[in-house]
Amino acid sequence: MKPTLLIVDDEKTTREGLRAALEDRYDVYLAEDAQAGFNLLEQEHFDVLLTDFRLPNEDGLKLIARAKSLSRPPVCILMT
């Protein structure tokens, strides 16, 4: 079973490119903004969260803070 990865980025080409690069090693999920990302984090357990810093309405650091408050937080990586 592959580890799960959530990619949060508002640029579709970036999300899709990261998925293409990482889908051999991870079960990849995508979200286009922080709210969609947090909704997925509440529904599923993710091993890794990879998020852009600049997101619409809420930045990636706030998303990471929310992810770290979960009972089983993922490893969090912030892209700039």
Side-chain angles (χ1 to χ4, degrees):
M1 187 169 183
K2 293 192 262 187
T4 54
L5 167 67
L6 174 59
I7 298 170
V8 182
D9 197 301
D10 58 324
E11 294 182 30
K12 184 177 181 179
T13 56
T14 302
R15 284 192 314 267
E16 294 295 335
L18 287 167
R19 177 188 6 215
L22 298 168
E23 66 187 350
D24 289 343
R25 295 180 180 219
Y26 294 91
D27 187 10
V28 178
Y29 292 72
L30 302 176
E32 69 279 354
D33 60 34
Q35 186 59 53
F38 194 70
N39 290 344
L40 283 169
L41 285 165
E42 288 183 318
Q43 296 168 11
E44 298 275 336
H45 168 72
F46 291 94
D47 298 299
V48 180
L49 167 63
L50 178 59
T51 183
D52 190 14
F53 176 71
R54 293 181 189 208
L55 296 169
N57 302 322
E58 187 173 290
D59 67 45
L61 284 176
K62 290 180 183 173
L63 177 60
I64 287 174
R66 292 174 73 187
K68 289 293 186 182
S69 72
L70 297 169
S71 61
R72 293 176 38 197
V75 171
C76 297
I77 301 169
L78 181 67
M79 300 182 293
T80 59

